[in-house]
Amino acid sequence: MKSNNTQRIIRKPNRGFATFFLLACVSLRALAADGSFVHPGLLNTQKDYNRMRLMVARKASPWIDAWNLLRTNRHDSAAWSPNPQSIVVRGSNGTNKQNYASLYNDIAAAYADGLDWQISGDKSAADRAVAILNAWSSTLTQITGTSDKYLASGIYGYELACAAEVIRKYPGWKPEDLKRFQKMMLQIFLPMNTAFLKDHNSAKIDHYWANWDLSNIASMMAIGIFTDQRSTYDAAMDYYLHGNGNGALQHMVWKLYDGGLGQWQEAGRDQGHSTLGVGLAGAICQMAWNQGDDLFGADDNRFLKGAEYVAKYNLGSDVPYTVYTNSDVTQETISPIGRGPGRPIWELLYNHYVVLKRLSSPYITQCANKVRPEGGGGDYGPNSGGFDQLGYGTLTFTLADPPKK
């Protein structure tokens, strides 16, 4: 029998994306709330944190295995010192030197510290997270670079909001500091998210790959929830369901096949970006789920079909492929570049589709088994790709003991 949670219906957004963008251009509306949300309620709710705490206290696997990874990650350390930048540069533009590694490393530290506090109760860990977030909100003024700046506004906007949401209710985070952090998200990250999704850096609508849209949708959604702006959240959800770019649901999974598979938009490009897109879409769906909206099940589980397609191919199996063409490229065959399920993205999908909804997802299940326990920032390489996901999914998303391999 399905739980009541699986009966959720997607609400109709109050405003379309275009309407929201016009409103945002007229006025940022600062911190005026226009809708209440569940808090904490981005990647996890308080019920989730309570479960993690209980299972780690019991030293139950796989939670304790993932907890041990977090505690040994160099970012969860009293020795960590934040390195905020006034201007973050991603993409060498000939004027400023790239320095965005400072941001993604500090995000990884703030997120690890926040999880540490939620599970262990160690206030010093929460204080470290607060110090990192306050350092950035009192220093950052701009994100720039090449067009890659929109990847920074998307990936790091979403991740920053998630890290902050973990400690949102920590008594040691002063209200004025929380408000300043929200203001940073609204004035620096959100305008870039909305601008990119509106005109795609003045490029043709199909020029940018799915992950560019998805990262900025994720940031918009996370910021909307974190700042209690219903219109922002609704605009992100509306774009995911009905947008014109490659990150919208029917474009990212653009071709359906018999057997529950759907071709991913970046499959002919490489598998690193395909799995990145799956991870971002999973985060979007998870955030919406925690607010009562089922994007996981939208369009007859279309995202599941795309994720199963990516999982199956990255496990080494053949998948059907239809020639992909856009205004820039024609890709005759699926790309084996970067093939493998290594990103920490599968526990979220496995636990939602298989454990919670009891749906058949054999390839996602196999990927989860291979990657478990999932680590965090820096555990998958020292460069930006190793920080594209916040990670620790085995700790944060496991709902029950996984089946034996």
Side-chain angles (χ1 to χ4, degrees):
M1 179 179 294
K2 292 183 178 180
S3 69
N4 289 335
N5 282 343
T6 62
Q7 303 299 321
R8 300 177 185 197
I9 299 174
I10 298 172
R11 293 179 302 101
K12 182 178 180 181
N14 295 328
R15 301 183 177 97
F17 180 80
T19 302
F20 168 78
F21 183 82
L22 291 174
L23 289 171
C25 288
V26 173
S27 172
L28 201 57
R29 297 192 300 165
L31 297 177
D34 59 7
S36 59
F37 290 91
V38 174
H39 295 295
L42 289 183
L43 293 180
N44 295 108
T45 64
Q46 193 59 52
K47 181 180 178 181
D48 295 326
Y49 295 125
N50 294 343
R51 179 187 64 247
M52 298 173 215
R53 187 180 310 120
L54 176 64
M55 293 304 184
V56 168
R58 290 177 176 175
K59 299 187 184 303
S61 291
W63 297 271
I64 189 64
D65 307 302
W67 169 250
N68 289 336
L69 282 179
L70 184 148
R71 294 294 289 118
T72 56
N73 187 294
R74 69 187 183 91
H75 295 87
D76 183 24
S77 168
W80 190 268
S81 180
N83 185 25
Q85 307 292 315
S86 175
I87 300 175
V88 165
V89 183
R90 177 161 179 168
S92 181
N93 58 10
T95 302
N96 304 106
K97 184 179 179 180
Q98 292 192 103
N99 63 355
Y100 65 104
S102 296
L103 180 53
Y104 65 65
N105 272 283
D106 275 354
I107 292 170
Y111 186 67
D113 287 333
L115 287 179
D116 190 331
W117 166 69
Q118 281 282 3
I119 296 166
S120 71
D122 182 357
K123 292 182 179 179
S124 67
D127 288 338
R128 294 197 301 269
V130 167
I132 293 168
L133 299 177
N134 285 351
W136 279 93
S137 67
S138 61
T139 304
L140 184 64
T141 62
Q142 184 184 6
I143 299 172
T144 189
T146 62
S147 59
D148 283 4
K149 65 187 178 184
Y150 291 111
L151 289 174
S153 70
I155 295 173
Y156 309 137
Y158 137 70
E159 291 185 339
L160 265 174
C162 287
E165 184 78 356
V166 177
I167 62 161
R168 181 193 186 92
K169 294 187 176 181
Y170 174 56
W173 200 5
K174 296 178 181 179
E176 60 267 30
D177 292 334
L178 170 60
K179 185 174 181 178
R180 186 180 65 225
F181 186 88
Q182 290 175 317
K183 186 176 180 180
M184 175 188 71
M185 301 306 294
L186 289 167
Q187 294 188 342
I188 296 177
F189 289 90
L190 181 60
M192 293 182 69
N193 304 148
T194 55
F196 180 80
L197 292 173
K198 179 179 180 288
D199 70 6
H200 291 83
N201 201 32
S202 300
K204 293 182 179 179
I205 192 62
D206 62 356
H207 171 74
Y208 285 96
W209 301 96
N211 76 86
W212 290 71
D213 273 6
L214 288 166
S215 64
N216 283 280
I217 295 168
S219 182
M220 277 189 68
M221 180 170 283
I223 292 170
I225 296 169
F226 185 73
T227 62
D228 290 302
Q229 292 209 30
R230 177 66 62 179
S231 57
T232 303
Y233 171 84
D234 283 346
M237 191 164 65
D238 181 74
Y239 195 97
Y240 178 82
L241 292 171
H242 309 298
N244 293 322
N246 285 323
L249 180 59
Q250 293 195 6
H251 297 156
M252 72 180 192
V253 185
W254 70 276
K255 174 73 174 178
L256 298 180
Y257 300 99
D258 293 338
L261 298 178
Q263 187 167 324
W264 197 261
Q265 191 262 339
E266 299 193 62
R269 181 188 184 194
D270 62 59
Q271 298 311 306
H273 287 97
S274 293
T275 51
L276 169 60
V278 170
L280 289 167
I284 291 166
C285 292
Q286 181 71 11
M287 290 187 287
W289 179 262
N290 286 334
Q291 300 303 326
D293 294 311
D294 187 5
L295 296 184
F296 284 108
D299 195 13
D300 191 26
N301 294 307
R302 192 181 190 99
F303 171 47
L304 171 60
K305 296 168 185 175
E308 275 284 275
Y309 179 96
V310 173
K312 183 176 181 179
Y313 184 69
N314 279 274
L315 286 165
S317 298
D318 292 333
V319 292
Y321 183 84
T322 299
V323 175
Y324 175 78
T325 300
N326 64 22
S327 59
D328 296 320
V329 298
T330 295
Q331 295 167 335
E332 300 283 349
T333 59
I334 193 168
S335 173
I337 298 172
R339 195 174 186 181
R343 287 184 185 269
I345 63 174
W346 304 107
E347 289 281 26
L348 185 159
L349 304 181
Y350 166 76
N351 280 280
H352 184 85
Y353 285 119
V354 180
V355 178
L356 182 62
K357 287 188 172 176
R358 305 295 180 186
L359 297 175
S360 176
S361 307
Y363 304 109
I364 287 173
T365 299
Q366 291 179 56
C367 284
N369 285 336
K370 281 183 172 292
V371 177
R372 183 180 298 124
E374 292 180 351
D379 288 335
Y380 300 88
N383 298 321
S384 60
F387 295 81
D388 284 341
Q389 289 81 39
L390 290 166
Y392 305 114
T394 303
L395 176 66
T396 59
F397 299 121
T398 298
L399 299 175
D401 291 315
K404 294 180 180 180
K405 295 182 182 179

